Amino acid sequence: MTALDDPAEQVPTSAGGDNHALSTAVDDAAGTPPAPAPGGAEAAGRRSWVRHLTRWGAIGLSLVLVGTLGYLWFDSRVPSTYSVIDMGYADYGGGAVPLAGHQHAGGVSVSTLTGPATGTPAVAVTLTARKESFTLASGERVDGYTLNHASPGPEIRARVGDLVQVDLVNESVPDGVALHWHGVRVPNAEDGVAGVTQDAVPVGGRHTYRFVAQDAGTYWYHSHQVSHEQVKGGLFGALVVDPSPADLVLPVHTYDGRRTVQGASGERRLPAPAGVPARLRLINTDNGPLRLSVTGAPYRVVAVDGHDLHGPTDISDRGVVIAAGGRVDLSVTPPAGGGAVRVDLGAGSSVVVGPAGASAPAAVTPAAVVDLLSYGTRGPVDLDLSHFDRDFTLSIGRSPGFLDGRPGLWWTMNGHLYPDVPMFMVRTGDIVKMTISNDSGEVHPMHLHGHVALVLSRNGVPSSGSPWWTDSLDVDDGESYVIAFKADNPGIWLDHCHNLPHATDGMIAHLAYEGYTTPYVIGGKADNAPE
Ligand code: C2O
Ligand code: CU
């Protein structure tokens, strides 16, 4: 595992040292003015000596350059099989450091952190994964992935306290599958990350997930094996806890460039009575931010990432942005006097909510969007913010270098390239503060598994609206967010960008609880590849 063991520190020192020594010699040689033909054997000798020095200096410099690049290339290669707990370097966030240092050996295996082993599930679903072509509800053919022959997969509805059991069967996904419950606080062994909390389920295999639904709200599930390809191709579905029967659950997804809602492109009509608020549970399953606008009646944002907002107010002149992986619940009321409400999702996709036959005004795109930092009113927060046990920094940048042997301009975390990234170390019970900043030139929807975080401030401006709990937070270029969460769910958790191709390109770190280890590996016999 040498390639993963903090070698970066040594590179600049040794290479830089050699480089300096050689460039001095070359500079000296090159700096010697061209001899003005003074004549004489002594001068000719000096000229040829200078030529020699210049030539050898240039060759030497090239060798050092090639050597340095070669070393960086070599050093960047990620072993085909490794454990995530050997990745990068431990970051204790200024908190307690275990005596043994970055030491997981002998820890509790995350495979023991399962949901209830006994008990009859209140919700039991079998999901059979296939790689196949299928027809969207709007008629287009897609070559992708399905669950029970459909994409999105079945909508799972549960109540708080329900034991949920999902039997995942892989019938024909060649790379294997795993199901992650995005935003849901499940025990670590149920988190569905291939290579971290389980092995990918091979064709012909099955895996059972069991967990108790703890929090009401809008969530989703998706494959966490080769996820950048499988999620894009359709291997996902909605999971909602404690919905009203009339709630509309609306996963938005782009298949082959076609934006869809509930798996149908174009305008989708959803019947709802006039004068009665309807709850629309929107899920952004794509890789980029989803910007929506509403026409036909004022509306409210009533929940974000599964958590109800406090004191939401009517909105009529602003749109809403949902981060990739994020969810937003809207409350819309079709006007009592007739007409319908249109929620425009861009790219020709919209939903029209109202009585049958009612029409909705055309979409207009407001210039402004709702700012969740100040929307709603302050409310109670179930998190002790009087002191922090850990204070982490996650600063996202971009720099040239080698990623697994490939030269390019790559995402960095705290200045480091994958796999030399921080491992955020915590103890059960810690109150954790994390500052996430971004100057990489692009937005990154940061997603922490197994926890929900409270936004404290953005660019130094404290949150002044409803408590804003999130698990999928868009950090725009030039922004800096401070968030806080309680480390109350032991295990090893991914903390990554939910623009999944970015995760593939190394925007992936972990939150690890001291004293836990994983028996699973990236690569290995199961070919685990969570991104
Ligand atoms: Cu929906 Cu690791 O993510
Ligand atoms: Cu990203």
Side-chain angles (χ1 to χ4, degrees), residues 196-211:
V196 181
T197 65
Q198 68 171 92
D199 277 330
V201 179
V203 174
R206 59 158 62 220
H207 185 94
T208 300
Y209 300 92
R210 281 166 68 92
F211 57 86

Side-chain angles (χ1 to χ4, degrees), residues 411 443-446 497-499 502-503 507:
W411 310 118
V443 62
H444 298 285
M446 298 307 294
C497 179
H498 220 279
N499 185 332
H502 289 185
M507 276 209 72

Side-chain angles (χ1 to χ4, degrees), residues 364-443:
V364 291
T365 307
V369 293
V370 172
D371 186 354
L372 296 171
L373 199 68
S374 54
Y375 180 69
T377 56
R378 305 185 70 111
V381 158
D382 182 21
L383 184 65
D384 176 8
L385 299 170
S386 60
H387 86 288
F388 297 100
D389 303 289
R390 311 277 170 175
D391 187 351
F392 293 117
T393 298
L394 173 48
S395 107
I396 304 164
R398 202 170 195 187
S399 91
F402 291 93
L403 184 79
D404 198 11
R406 294 173 292 155
L409 199 54
W410 302 112
W411 310 118
T412 56
M413 287 183 168
N414 295 349
H416 295 262
L417 270 165
Y418 184 91
D420 186 33
V421 290
M423 169 75 86
F424 301 111
M425 300 295 302
V426 293
R427 278 183 186 169
T428 306
D430 281 353
I431 307 289
V432 181
K433 180 168 142 186
M434 186 180 271
T435 303
I436 312 175
S437 62
N438 175 10
D439 66 354
S440 71
E442 269 188 52
V443 62

Side-chain angles (χ1 to χ4, degrees), residues 45-380:
R46 202 166 59 230
R47 279 200 302 277
S48 95
W49 165 237
V50 167
R51 268 201 309 276
H52 263 82
L53 202 59
T54 310
R55 182 194 298 147
W56 287 110
I59 291 173
L61 182 66
S62 318
L63 281 176
V64 166
L65 216 77
V66 168
T68 306
L69 287 174
Y71 180 80
L72 289 173
W73 169 83
F74 179 82
D75 182 51
S76 79
R77 292 173 321 148
V78 178
S80 58
T81 295
Y82 63 96
S83 170
V84 296
I85 57 175
D86 295 325
M87 262 174 67
Y89 59 94
D91 181 340
Y92 294 99
V97 177
L99 286 174
H102 183 28
Q103 179 63 271
H104 303 266
V108 175
S109 168
V110 298
S111 66
T112 63
L113 303 171
T114 60
T118 56
T120 308
V123 177
V125 190
T126 298
L127 296 177
T128 302
R130 296 179 177 88
K131 185 177 197 299
E132 63 180 350
S133 45
F134 58 98
T135 308
L136 293 176
S138 43
E140 303 93 333
R141 287 299 281 178
V142 172
D143 215 355
Y145 298 88
T146 60
L147 289 159
N148 301 359
H149 289 304
S151 176
E155 179 184 302
I156 301 175
R157 291 191 176 213
R159 317 241 35 124
V160 169
D162 279 356
L163 175 60
V164 178
Q165 175 170 325
V166 175
D167 286 294
L168 168 66
V169 177
N170 181 1
E171 188 172 296
S172 61
V173 179
D175 289 331
V177 281
L179 285 182
H180 167 60
W181 313 95
H182 185 118
V184 186
R185 297 188 302 138
V186 298
N188 197 223
E190 312 293 347
D191 198 42
V193 181
V196 181
T197 65
Q198 68 171 92
D199 277 330
V201 179
V203 174
R206 59 158 62 220
H207 185 94
T208 300
Y209 300 92
R210 281 166 68 92
F211 57 86
V212 173
Q214 299 182 61
D215 308 297
T218 308
Y219 305 96
W220 62 301
Y221 59 89
H222 63 76
S223 181
H224 226 308
Q225 163 74 353
V226 196
S227 56
H228 71 283
E229 191 186 310
Q230 295 185 8
V231 177
K232 193 171 196 289
L235 223 163
F236 68 90
L239 168 66
V240 283
V241 181
D242 270 6
S244 292
D247 288 0
L248 301 163
V249 180
L250 306 172
V252 179
H253 192 74
T254 304
Y255 298 90
D256 295 341
R258 254 181 246 105
R259 186 161 301 163
T260 64
V261 56
Q262 285 182 335
S265 62
E267 183 183 292
R268 191 152 180 81
R269 300 199 63 98
L270 301 168
V276 181
R279 187 166 179 139
L280 275 52
R281 297 169 174 265
L282 290 138
I283 307 168
N284 180 3
T285 68
D286 282 331
N287 286 316
L290 174 71
R291 188 177 171 140
L292 62 84
S293 62
V294 179
T295 46
Y299 71 102
R300 293 177 179 191
V301 177
V302 292
V304 172
D305 288 355
H307 289 256
D308 282 356
L309 297 187
H310 192 256
T313 50
D314 278 353
I315 305 164
S316 50
D317 56 348
R318 283 166 294 161
V320 175
V321 171
I322 313 179
R327 289 86 59 214
V328 157
D329 294 10
L330 303 182
S331 175
V332 305
T333 308
V341 175
R342 177 187 302 277
V343 179
D344 186 86
L345 303 160
S349 172
S350 64
V351 292
V352 172
V353 184
S359 61
V364 291
T365 307
V369 293
V370 172
D371 186 354
L372 296 171
L373 199 68
S374 54
Y375 180 69
T377 56
R378 305 185 70 111

